[in-house]
Coordinates of all heavy atoms in Angstrom, one line a residue:
M1 N 202.7 -4.5 115.3 CA 203.1 -3.7 116.4 C 202.3 -2.4 116.4 O 202.1 -1.8 115.3 CB 204.6 -3.4 116.2 CG 205.3 -2.9 117.4 SD 207.1 -2.9 117.2 CE 207.3 -1.2 116.7
S2 N 201.9 -2.0 117.6 CA 201.1 -0.7 117.6 C 201.9 0.5 117.6 O 203.0 0.5 118.2 CB 200.1 -0.8 118.8 OG 200.9 -0.7 120.0
Q3 N 201.4 1.4 116.9 CA 202.1 2.8 116.8 C 201.7 3.6 118.0 O 200.6 3.6 118.5 CB 201.7 3.5 115.5 CG 202.1 2.8 114.3 CD 203.5 2.9 114.0 OE1 204.1 3.9 114.1 NE2 204.2 1.8 113.7
P4 N 202.6 4.5 118.6 CA 202.2 5.4 119.6 C 201.2 6.4 119.0 O 201.2 6.7 117.9 CB 203.5 6.1 120.0 CG 204.5 5.8 118.9 CD 204.0 4.6 118.2
K5 N 200.3 6.8 119.9 CA 199.4 7.9 119.6 C 200.0 9.1 119.0 O 201.1 9.5 119.6 CB 198.6 8.3 120.8 CG 197.2 7.5 121.0 CD 196.3 8.1 122.0 CE 196.8 9.1 123.1 NZ 196.0 9.4 124.2
P6 N 199.6 9.8 118.0 CA 200.2 11.0 117.6 C 200.1 12.1 118.6 O 199.1 12.1 119.3 CB 199.4 11.4 116.3 CG 198.2 10.6 116.3 CD 198.3 9.4 117.2
V7 N 201.1 12.9 118.7 CA 201.0 14.0 119.7 C 200.6 15.3 119.0 O 201.3 15.8 118.1 CB 202.4 14.2 120.3 CG1 202.3 15.3 121.5 CG2 203.0 12.9 120.9
L8 N 199.4 15.7 119.4 CA 198.8 16.9 118.8 C 199.1 18.1 119.8 O 198.2 18.5 120.5 CB 197.3 16.7 118.5 CG 197.0 15.6 117.6 CD1 195.5 15.4 117.4 CD2 197.7 15.8 116.2
C9 N 200.3 18.6 119.7 CA 200.7 19.6 120.7 C 201.7 20.6 120.0 O 202.6 20.1 119.4 CB 201.3 19.0 121.9 SG 201.9 20.2 123.2
R10 N 201.5 21.8 120.2 CA 202.4 22.8 119.6 C 203.8 22.7 120.1 O 204.8 23.2 119.5 CB 201.9 24.2 119.7 CG 202.0 24.8 121.1 CD 201.7 26.3 121.1 NE 200.3 26.6 121.0 CZ 199.7 27.6 121.5 NH1 200.4 28.5 122.2 NH2 198.5 27.9 121.3
Y11 N 204.0 22.1 121.3 CA 205.4 22.1 121.9 C 206.1 20.8 121.5 O 207.3 20.7 121.8 CB 205.2 22.2 123.4 CG 204.7 23.5 123.8 CD1 203.4 23.6 124.4 CD2 205.4 24.7 123.7 CE1 202.9 24.8 124.8 CE2 204.9 25.9 124.0 CZ 203.6 26.0 124.6 OH 203.1 27.2 125.0
Y12 N 205.4 19.9 120.9 CA 206.1 18.6 120.5 C 206.9 18.8 119.3 O 206.4 19.4 118.3 CB 205.0 17.6 120.3 CG 205.6 16.2 119.9 CD1 206.2 15.4 120.8 CD2 205.4 15.7 118.6 CE1 206.8 14.1 120.4 CE2 206.0 14.5 118.2 CZ 206.6 13.8 119.1 OH 207.1 12.5 118.7
Y13 N 208.1 18.3 119.3 CA 209.0 18.4 118.1 C 209.6 17.0 117.9 O 210.1 16.4 118.7 CB 210.1 19.4 118.4 CG 211.1 19.4 117.3 CD1 210.9 20.1 116.1 CD2 212.4 18.8 117.5 CE1 211.9 20.1 115.1 CE2 213.3 18.7 116.5 CZ 213.1 19.4 115.3 OH 214.0 19.4 114.3
A14 N 209.5 16.6 116.7 CA 210.2 15.3 116.2 C 210.9 15.5 114.9 O 210.4 16.2 114.0 CB 209.1 14.2 116.1
D15 N 212.0 14.9 114.8 CA 212.7 14.9 113.5 C 213.3 13.5 113.3 O 214.2 13.0 114.0 CB 213.9 15.9 113.7 CG 214.8 15.9 112.4 OD1 214.4 15.3 111.4 OD2 215.8 16.7 112.5
Y16 N 212.8 12.9 112.2 CA 213.3 11.5 111.9 C 213.9 11.6 110.5 O 214.2 10.5 109.9 CB 212.1 10.6 111.8 CG 211.5 10.3 113.2 CD1 210.2 10.9 113.5 CD2 212.1 9.6 114.2 CE1 209.7 10.8 114.7 CE2 211.5 9.5 115.4 CZ 210.3 10.1 115.7 OH 209.8 9.9 116.9
H17 N 214.3 12.8 110.1 CA 214.9 12.9 108.8 C 216.3 12.3 108.7 O 217.1 12.5 109.6 CB 214.9 14.5 108.4 CG 215.3 14.7 107.0 ND1 214.7 14.3 105.9 CD2 216.4 15.4 106.6 CE1 215.2 14.8 104.9 NE2 216.4 15.4 105.2
R18 N 216.6 11.6 107.6 CA 217.9 11.0 107.4 C 218.5 10.3 108.6 O 219.6 10.5 109.1 CB 218.9 12.1 106.9 CG 218.5 12.6 105.6 CD 219.6 13.4 105.0 NE 219.3 13.9 103.7 CZ 220.1 14.6 103.0 NH1 221.3 14.9 103.4 NH2 219.6 15.0 101.8
G19 N 217.7 9.4 109.2 CA 218.1 8.5 110.3 C 218.1 9.2 111.7 O 218.4 8.5 112.6
R20 N 217.8 10.4 111.7 CA 217.7 11.0 113.0 C 216.5 10.5 113.8 O 215.5 10.0 113.2 CB 217.6 12.6 112.9 CG 218.9 13.2 112.6 CD 218.7 14.7 112.7 NE 218.1 15.2 111.4 CZ 218.7 15.9 110.5 NH1 220.0 16.2 110.7 NH2 218.2 16.2 109.3
A21 N 216.5 10.5 115.1 CA 215.4 10.1 115.9 C 215.3 11.1 117.1 O 215.6 10.7 118.2 CB 215.6 8.7 116.3
T22 N 215.0 12.3 116.8 CA 215.0 13.3 117.8 C 213.5 13.6 118.2 O 212.7 13.8 117.3 CB 215.5 14.7 117.3 OG1 216.9 14.4 116.8 CG2 215.6 15.7 118.4
E23 N 213.2 13.5 119.5 CA 211.9 13.9 119.9 C 212.1 14.8 121.1 O 212.9 14.5 121.9 CB 211.0 12.7 120.3 CG 210.5 11.9 119.3 CD 209.6 10.8 119.9 OE1 210.1 10.0 120.7 OE2 208.5 10.7 119.4
E24 N 211.3 15.9 121.3 CA 211.4 16.7 122.5 C 210.1 17.4 122.7 O 209.3 17.7 121.9 CB 212.6 17.6 122.4 CG 212.6 18.6 121.3 CD 213.9 19.4 121.3 OE1 215.0 18.8 121.6 OE2 213.8 20.6 120.8
C25 N 210.0 17.9 124.0 CA 208.9 18.7 124.4 C 209.6 20.2 124.6 O 210.4 20.3 125.5 CB 208.3 18.3 125.6 SG 207.2 19.6 126.3
R26 N 209.3 21.1 123.8 CA 209.9 22.3 123.8 C 209.4 23.3 124.9 O 210.0 24.3 125.1 CB 209.9 23.0 122.4 CG 210.7 22.3 121.5 CD 210.9 23.0 120.2 NE 212.1 22.3 119.5 CZ 212.4 22.6 118.2 NH1 211.7 23.4 117.5 NH2 213.5 22.1 117.7
L27 N 208.3 22.8 125.6 CA 207.8 23.5 126.8 C 208.7 23.1 128.0 O 209.2 23.9 128.7 CB 206.4 23.3 127.0 CG 205.7 24.0 128.2 CD1 205.8 25.5 128.0 CD2 204.3 23.6 128.3
I28 N 208.8 21.7 128.2 CA 209.5 21.2 129.4 C 211.0 21.5 129.2 O 211.7 21.7 130.2 CB 209.1 19.7 129.5 CG1 207.7 19.5 129.9 CG2 210.1 19.1 130.5 CD1 207.2 18.2 129.9
K29 N 211.4 21.5 128.0 CA 212.9 21.8 127.8 C 213.4 23.1 128.3 O 214.5 23.3 128.7 CB 213.1 21.7 126.2 CG 214.6 21.7 125.8 CD 214.7 21.6 124.3 CE 216.1 21.8 123.9 NZ 216.3 21.8 122.5
R30 N 212.4 24.0 128.3 CA 212.6 25.4 128.8 C 212.8 25.5 130.4 O 213.2 26.5 130.9 CB 211.5 26.3 128.5 CG 211.4 26.7 127.1 CD 210.3 27.8 127.1 NE 209.5 27.7 125.9 CZ 208.2 28.1 125.7 NH1 207.6 28.6 126.7 NH2 207.7 28.0 124.5
N31 N 212.3 24.4 131.0 CA 212.3 24.4 132.5 C 213.4 23.6 133.1 O 213.4 22.4 133.1 CB 210.9 23.9 132.9 CG 210.8 23.9 134.5 OD1 211.7 24.3 135.2 ND2 209.6 23.5 134.9
P32 N 214.5 24.3 133.6 CA 215.7 23.6 134.1 C 215.3 22.9 135.4 O 216.2 22.0 135.8 CB 216.7 24.7 134.3 CG 215.9 26.0 134.5 CD 214.6 25.8 133.7
D33 N 214.3 23.1 136.0 CA 213.9 22.4 137.3 C 213.1 21.2 137.1 O 212.7 20.5 138.1 CB 213.1 23.4 138.2 CG 214.0 24.6 138.6 OD1 215.3 24.5 138.7 OD2 213.4 25.7 138.7
S34 N 212.8 20.9 135.9 CA 212.0 19.7 135.6 C 212.8 18.4 135.5 O 213.9 18.5 135.1 CB 211.2 19.9 134.3 OG 210.5 18.8 133.9
R35 N 212.1 17.3 135.9 CA 212.8 16.0 135.6 C 212.8 15.9 134.0 O 212.0 16.6 133.4 CB 211.9 14.9 136.1 CG 211.8 15.0 137.7 CD 210.8 13.9 138.2 NE 211.3 12.6 137.9 CZ 212.2 11.9 138.6 NH1 212.7 12.5 139.7 NH2 212.5 10.7 138.2
P36 N 213.5 15.0 133.5 CA 213.6 14.8 132.0 C 212.3 14.4 131.4 O 211.5 13.7 132.0 CB 214.7 13.8 131.8 CG 215.4 13.6 133.1 CD 214.4 14.1 134.2
W37 N 212.0 14.8 130.2 CA 210.8 14.5 129.4 C 211.0 13.1 128.8 O 212.1 12.8 128.3 CB 210.6 15.6 128.4 CG 209.5 15.3 127.4 CD1 208.2 15.5 127.7 CD2 209.5 14.7 126.1 NE1 207.4 15.2 126.6 CE2 208.3 14.6 125.6 CE3 210.6 14.3 125.3 CZ2 208.0 14.1 124.3 CZ3 210.3 13.7 124.1 CH2 209.0 13.7 123.6
N38 N 209.9 12.4 128.6 CA 209.9 11.3 127.6 C 208.5 11.3 127.0 O 207.5 11.8 127.4 CB 210.2 10.0 128.4 CG 209.2 9.6 129.3 OD1 208.0 9.2 129.0 ND2 209.4 9.8 130.6
R39 N 208.5 10.6 125.8 CA 207.3 10.7 125.0 C 206.0 10.2 125.6 O 204.9 10.8 125.4 CB 207.7 9.9 123.7 CG 206.5 9.4 122.8 CD 205.7 10.6 122.3 NE 204.5 10.1 121.6 CZ 203.4 9.8 122.3 NH1 203.3 9.9 123.6 NH2 202.3 9.3 121.7
S40 N 206.1 9.3 126.6 CA 204.9 8.7 127.2 C 204.2 9.8 128.0 O 203.0 9.6 128.3 CB 205.2 7.5 128.0 OG 206.0 7.8 129.1
L41 N 204.9 10.8 128.5 CA 204.3 11.8 129.3 C 203.2 12.6 128.5 O 202.3 13.1 129.1 CB 205.3 12.8 129.8 CG 206.2 12.3 130.8 CD1 207.5 13.2 131.0 CD2 205.5 12.3 132.2
C42 N 203.4 12.6 127.1 CA 202.4 13.4 126.4 C 201.0 12.7 126.4 O 200.0 13.4 126.3 CB 202.8 13.3 124.9 SG 204.4 14.2 124.6
D43 N 201.0 11.4 126.7 CA 199.6 10.7 126.7 C 198.7 11.2 127.8 O 197.5 11.0 127.7 CB 199.9 9.1 126.8 CG 200.6 8.6 125.6 OD1 200.6 9.3 124.5 OD2 201.3 7.6 125.7
T44 N 199.3 11.7 128.9 CA 198.5 12.2 130.0 C 198.6 13.6 130.3 O 198.1 14.2 131.3 CB 198.8 11.4 131.3 OG1 200.2 11.5 131.6 CG2 198.4 9.9 131.2
C45 N 199.4 14.3 129.4 CA 199.7 15.8 129.7 C 198.5 16.7 129.5 O 197.8 16.5 128.4 CB 200.8 16.2 128.8 SG 201.3 17.9 128.9
P46 N 198.2 17.6 130.4 CA 197.0 18.4 130.3 C 197.2 19.6 129.3 O 196.3 20.3 128.9 CB 196.9 19.0 131.7 CG 198.2 19.0 132.2 CD 198.9 17.8 131.7
V47 N 198.4 19.8 128.8 CA 198.7 21.0 128.0 C 197.9 21.2 126.7 O 197.2 22.2 126.5 CB 200.2 21.2 127.7 CG1 200.5 22.3 126.7 CG2 201.0 21.5 129.0
P48 N 197.8 20.0 125.9 CA 197.0 20.2 124.6 C 195.6 20.6 124.9 O 195.0 21.5 124.2 CB 197.1 18.9 123.9 CG 198.4 18.3 124.5 CD 198.5 18.8 125.9
D49 N 194.9 20.1 125.9 CA 193.5 20.3 126.2 C 193.4 21.8 126.8 O 192.5 22.5 126.5 CB 193.1 19.4 127.4 CG 192.0 18.5 127.0 OD1 191.9 18.3 125.7 OD2 191.2 18.1 127.9
I50 N 194.4 22.2 127.6 CA 194.4 23.6 128.1 C 194.4 24.6 126.9 O 193.6 25.5 126.8 CB 195.6 23.8 129.1 CG1 195.3 23.0 130.4 CG2 195.7 25.3 129.3 CD1 196.6 23.0 131.3
L51 N 195.3 24.4 126.0 CA 195.5 25.3 124.8 C 194.2 25.3 124.0 O 193.9 26.3 123.4 CB 196.7 24.8 124.0 CG 198.0 25.0 124.8 CD1 199.2 24.5 123.8 CD2 198.3 26.5 125.1
L52 N 193.6 24.2 123.9 CA 192.3 24.1 123.1 C 191.1 24.8 123.8 O 190.3 25.4 123.1 CB 192.0 22.6 122.8 CG 191.4 22.2 121.6 CD1 192.1 22.7 120.3 CD2 191.1 20.8 121.5
H53 N 191.0 24.6 125.1 CA 189.8 25.0 125.8 C 189.8 26.2 126.7 O 188.8 26.6 127.2 CB 189.2 23.7 126.5 CG 188.9 22.7 125.6 ND1 188.0 22.7 124.7 CD2 189.5 21.4 125.5 CE1 187.9 21.5 124.0 NE2 188.8 20.7 124.5
T54 N 191.0 26.7 127.0 CA 191.1 27.8 127.9 C 190.4 29.1 127.4 O 190.4 29.3 126.2 CB 192.5 28.2 128.3 OG1 192.6 29.2 129.3 CG2 193.4 28.7 127.1
N55 N 189.8 29.9 128.2 CA 189.3 31.1 127.8 C 190.3 32.3 127.8 O 190.0 33.4 127.4 CB 188.0 31.6 128.7 CG 188.5 32.1 130.0 OD1 189.6 31.8 130.5 ND2 187.7 33.0 130.5
C56 N 191.5 31.9 128.3 CA 192.6 33.0 128.4 C 193.1 33.3 127.1 O 193.5 32.5 126.3 CB 193.7 32.4 129.4 SG 194.9 33.6 129.6
K57 N 193.1 34.6 126.8 CA 193.5 35.1 125.5 C 195.0 35.0 125.2 O 195.6 35.0 124.1 CB 193.0 36.5 125.2 CG 191.5 36.5 125.2 CD 190.9 37.9 125.0 CE 189.4 37.8 125.0 NZ 188.8 38.8 125.9
E58 N 195.8 35.1 126.4 CA 197.2 35.2 126.3 C 197.9 34.3 127.4 O 198.6 34.8 128.2 CB 197.8 36.6 126.3 CG 197.5 37.4 125.1 CD 198.1 38.8 125.2 OE1 199.2 39.0 125.7 OE2 197.5 39.7 124.7
I59 N 197.5 33.1 127.3 CA 198.0 32.1 128.4 C 199.5 31.9 128.2 O 200.0 31.7 127.0 CB 197.2 30.8 128.4 CG1 197.4 30.1 129.7 CG2 197.5 30.0 127.2 CD1 196.5 29.0 130.0
A60 N 200.3 31.8 129.4 CA 201.7 31.5 129.3 C 201.8 30.3 130.2 O 201.4 30.4 131.4 CB 202.5 32.6 129.7
L61 N 202.5 29.3 129.8 CA 202.6 28.1 130.6 C 204.0 27.7 131.0 O 204.9 28.0 130.2 CB 202.0 26.9 129.8 CG 200.5 27.0 129.3 CD1 200.2 25.8 128.4 CD2 199.6 26.9 130.6
E62 N 204.1 27.1 132.1 CA 205.4 26.5 132.5 C 205.0 25.0 132.9 O 204.0 24.8 133.6 CB 206.0 27.1 133.7 CG 207.4 26.6 134.1 CD 207.9 27.3 135.3 OE1 208.6 28.3 135.1 OE2 207.7 26.9 136.4
A63 N 205.8 24.1 132.4 CA 205.4 22.7 132.7 C 206.6 22.0 133.3 O 207.7 22.3 133.0 CB 205.1 21.9 131.4
T64 N 206.3 21.2 134.2 CA 207.3 20.4 135.1 C 206.9 19.0 135.1 O 205.8 18.6 135.4 CB 207.3 21.0 136.5 OG1 207.4 22.4 136.5 CG2 208.5 20.5 137.3
V65 N 207.9 18.1 134.9 CA 207.6 16.6 135.1 C 207.9 16.4 136.6 O 209.0 16.7 137.1 CB 208.6 15.8 134.2 CG1 208.3 14.4 134.5 CG2 208.4 16.2 132.7
V66 N 206.9 15.9 137.2 CA 207.0 15.5 138.6 C 206.7 14.0 138.8 O 206.1 13.4 138.0 CB 206.1 16.4 139.5 CG1 206.4 17.8 139.5 CG2 204.6 16.1 139.2
K67 N 207.2 13.5 139.9 CA 206.9 12.1 140.2 C 205.9 12.0 141.3 O 205.9 12.7 142.4 CB 208.1 11.4 140.8 CG 208.5 10.2 140.1 CD 209.7 9.5 140.6 CE 210.2 8.5 139.7 NZ 211.3 7.7 140.0
K68 N 204.8 11.3 141.0 CA 203.7 11.2 141.9 C 203.8 9.8 142.6 O 204.1 8.8 142.0 CB 202.4 11.2 141.1 CG 201.2 11.7 142.0 CD 200.0 11.8 141.1 CE 198.8 12.1 141.9 NZ 197.5 12.1 141.1
W69 N 203.6 9.8 144.0 CA 203.7 8.7 144.8 C 205.0 7.9 144.6 O 205.1 6.7 144.7 CB 202.5 7.6 144.5 CG 201.2 8.3 144.8 CD1 200.8 8.9 145.8 CD2 200.1 8.2 143.9 NE1 199.5 9.4 145.7 CE2 199.0 8.9 144.5 CE3 199.9 7.7 142.6 CZ2 197.8 9.1 143.9 CZ3 198.6 7.9 142.0 CH2 197.6 8.6 142.6
G70 N 206.0 8.6 144.3 CA 207.3 8.1 144.1 C 207.6 7.3 142.8 O 208.7 6.8 142.6
V71 N 206.6 7.0 142.1 CA 206.7 6.2 140.9 C 206.2 6.8 139.6 O 206.9 6.9 138.6 CB 206.0 4.8 141.1 CG1 206.9 3.9 141.7 CG2 204.7 4.9 141.8
L72 N 204.9 7.3 139.6 CA 204.4 7.7 138.4 C 204.8 9.2 138.1 O 204.6 10.1 138.8 CB 202.8 7.7 138.5 CG 202.1 6.4 138.6 CD1 200.7 6.5 138.9 CD2 202.5 5.5 137.4
E73 N 205.3 9.3 136.9 CA 205.7 10.7 136.4 C 204.5 11.2 135.7 O 203.7 10.6 135.0 CB 206.8 10.6 135.4 CG 208.2 10.3 136.2 CD 209.4 10.6 135.3 OE1 209.3 10.2 134.1 OE2 210.3 11.1 135.7
R74 N 204.3 12.6 135.9 CA 203.3 13.3 135.1 C 203.7 14.7 135.0 O 204.6 15.2 135.6 CB 201.9 13.1 135.8 CG 201.9 13.9 137.2 CD 200.6 13.6 137.9 NE 200.6 14.2 139.2 CZ 200.1 15.3 139.5 NH1 199.5 16.1 138.6 NH2 200.2 15.8 140.8
V75 N 202.9 15.4 134.1 CA 203.3 16.8 133.8 C 202.4 17.7 134.7 O 201.1 17.6 134.6 CB 203.1 17.1 132.3 CG1 203.4 18.6 132.0 CG2 204.0 16.2 131.5
E76 N 203.0 18.7 135.4 CA 202.3 19.6 136.1 C 202.5 21.0 135.5 O 203.5 21.3 135.0 CB 202.8 19.7 137.6 CG 202.1 18.8 138.6 CD 202.5 19.1 140.0 OE1 203.2 20.0 140.3 OE2 202.0 18.3 140.8
V77 N 201.3 21.8 135.5 CA 201.3 23.0 134.7 C 201.1 24.2 135.7 O 200.3 24.2 136.5 CB 200.2 23.0 133.7 CG1 200.0 24.3 133.0 CG2 200.5 21.9 132.7
Y78 N 201.9 25.2 135.4 CA 201.7 26.5 136.1 C 201.3 27.5 135.0 O 202.0 27.6 134.0 CB 203.0 26.9 136.8 CG 203.0 28.4 137.3 CD1 202.4 28.6 138.5 CD2 203.7 29.4 136.7 CE1 202.3 29.9 139.0 CE2 203.6 30.6 137.2 CZ 203.0 30.9 138.3 OH 203.0 32.1 138.8
A79 N 200.3 28.2 135.2 CA 199.7 29.1 134.1 C 199.6 30.5 134.6 O 199.1 30.8 135.8 CB 198.4 28.6 133.7
I80 N 199.9 31.5 133.7 CA 199.6 32.9 134.0 C 198.9 33.4 132.7 O 199.1 33.0 131.7 CB 200.8 33.8 134.3 CG1 201.8 33.8 133.1 CG2 201.5 33.3 135.6 CD1 202.7 35.0 133.2
C81 N 198.1 34.5 133.0 CA 197.5 35.2 131.9 C 198.6 36.4 131.6 O 198.7 37.3 132.5 CB 196.2 35.8 132.2 SG 195.6 37.0 130.9
A82 N 199.1 36.4 130.5 CA 200.2 37.3 130.1 C 199.5 38.7 129.8 O 200.2 39.7 129.6 CB 201.1 36.8 129.0
K83 N 198.2 38.7 129.5 CA 197.5 39.9 129.2 C 197.3 40.7 130.5 O 197.4 41.9 130.5 CB 196.3 39.6 128.5 CG 195.6 40.9 128.0 CD 194.4 40.6 127.1 CE 193.8 41.8 126.6 NZ 192.6 41.6 125.8
H84 N 196.8 40.0 131.6 CA 196.4 40.7 132.8 C 197.4 40.5 133.9 O 197.2 41.0 135.0 CB 195.1 40.2 133.2 CG 194.0 40.5 132.2 ND1 193.5 39.5 131.4 CD2 193.4 41.6 131.9 CE1 192.6 40.0 130.6 NE2 192.5 41.4 130.9
F85 N 198.5 39.7 133.6 CA 199.6 39.5 134.7 C 199.0 38.9 135.9 O 199.3 39.4 137.0 CB 200.4 40.7 134.9 CG 201.0 41.3 133.7 CD1 200.6 42.4 133.1 CD2 202.2 40.7 133.1 CE1 201.1 42.9 131.8 CE2 202.7 41.1 131.9 CZ 202.2 42.2 131.3
I86 N 198.2 37.9 135.8 CA 197.7 37.2 137.0 C 198.0 35.7 136.8 O 198.0 35.1 135.7 CB 196.2 37.3 137.2 CG1 195.4 37.0 136.1 CG2 195.9 38.8 137.6 CD1 193.9 36.8 136.3
E87 N 198.2 35.0 138.0 CA 198.3 33.6 138.0 C 197.0 33.0 137.9 O 196.0 33.6 138.4 CB 198.9 33.1 139.4 CG 200.3 33.3 139.6 CD 200.8 32.8 140.9 OE1 200.1 31.8 141.4 OE2 201.7 33.4 141.5
L88 N 196.9 31.9 137.1 CA 195.6 31.2 136.9 C 195.6 30.0 137.8 O 196.3 29.1 137.5 CB 195.5 30.9 135.4 CG 195.5 32.1 134.4 CD1 195.3 31.5 133.0 CD2 194.5 33.1 134.7
E89 N 194.6 30.0 138.7 CA 194.4 28.8 139.6 C 194.0 27.7 138.7 O 194.4 26.6 138.9 CB 193.3 29.2 140.6 CG 193.6 28.6 142.0 CD 192.6 29.2 143.0 OE1 192.9 30.4 143.4 OE2 191.7 28.5 143.3
D90 N 193.0 28.0 137.8 CA 192.6 27.0 136.8 C 193.0 27.5 135.4 O 192.5 28.5 135.0 CB 191.1 26.9 136.9 CG 190.5 26.0 135.8 OD1 191.3 25.4 135.1 OD2 189.3 25.8 135.8
P91 N 194.0 26.8 134.8 CA 194.5 27.2 133.5 C 193.4 27.4 132.4 O 193.5 28.0 131.4 CB 195.5 26.2 133.1 CG 195.8 25.3 134.3 CD 194.6 25.5 135.3
M92 N 192.3 26.7 132.7 CA 191.2 26.7 131.7 C 190.4 28.1 131.8 O 189.6 28.4 130.9 CB 190.2 25.6 132.0 CG 190.7 24.3 131.7 SD 191.0 23.9 130.0 CE 191.3 22.2 130.0
Y93 N 190.7 28.8 132.9 CA 189.8 30.0 133.1 C 190.5 31.2 133.7 O 191.1 31.2 134.7 CB 188.6 29.6 134.1 CG 187.7 30.7 134.4 CD1 186.7 30.9 133.4 CD2 187.7 31.4 135.6 CE1 185.7 32.0 133.6 CE2 186.7 32.4 135.8 CZ 185.8 32.6 134.8 OH 184.9 33.7 135.0
C94 N 190.5 32.2 132.9 CA 191.0 33.5 133.4 C 189.8 34.5 133.6 O 189.1 34.8 132.8 CB 191.9 34.2 132.3 SG 192.4 35.8 132.8
P95 N 189.6 34.8 134.9 CA 188.5 35.7 135.3 C 188.5 37.0 134.6 O 187.4 37.6 134.3 CB 188.5 35.8 136.8 CG 189.9 35.4 137.2 CD 190.4 34.5 136.1
L96 N 189.6 37.6 134.4 CA 189.7 38.9 133.7 C 189.4 38.8 132.2 O 188.8 39.7 131.7 CB 191.0 39.5 134.0 CG 191.2 39.8 135.5 CD1 192.6 40.5 135.8 CD2 190.2 40.6 136.2
C97 N 189.9 37.8 131.5 CA 189.6 37.6 130.2 C 188.0 37.4 130.0 O 187.4 37.8 129.0 CB 190.3 36.4 129.6 SG 192.1 36.8 129.3
A98 N 187.5 36.6 131.0 CA 186.1 36.3 131.0 C 185.2 37.7 131.1 O 184.1 37.8 130.4 CB 185.7 35.4 132.0
E99 N 185.7 38.6 131.8 CA 185.0 39.8 132.0 C 185.0 40.7 130.7 O 184.0 41.5 130.5 CB 185.7 40.7 133.1 CG 185.2 40.4 134.5 CD 186.0 41.2 135.5 OE1 186.7 42.2 135.1 OE2 186.0 40.9 136.7
E100 N 186.0 40.5 129.9 CA 186.0 41.4 128.6 C 185.0 41.0 127.6 O 184.7 39.8 127.4 CB 187.4 41.3 128.0 CG 188.5 42.0 128.9 CD 189.9 41.9 128.3 OE1 190.1 41.1 127.3 OE2 190.7 42.5 128.9
Ligands
SF4_201 S1 204.6 16.8 127.3 FE1 202.8 18.0 127.1 S2 203.4 20.0 126.5 FE2 205.1 18.6 126.1 S3 204.9 17.9 124.0 FE3 203.9 16.4 125.3 S4 201.8 17.1 125.3 FE4 203.0 18.9 124.6

């Protein structure tokens, strides 16, 4: 049986201690407007890549599970630079952090 890919994300939480089977996304959990999270969303979620490659020094993210074409669920991200208080059109790039 194949194992699911490990989730390398700071927002992923899992607890299997003493028979527990808890998994959650602590980013999506904060968003009451999101559809519910499930583990398979991590496989296509852009958040780990954004955190790894953004030039923004103080990125703040909000993530929402949305349904695309009425069937496919995916994670959409809204990003701001908390240092310069601007919305980031591209979460990978903050123009004001780039100027510094
Ligand atoms: S859904 Fe995205 S943000 Fe949430 S734990 Fe998975 S990879 Fe991380």
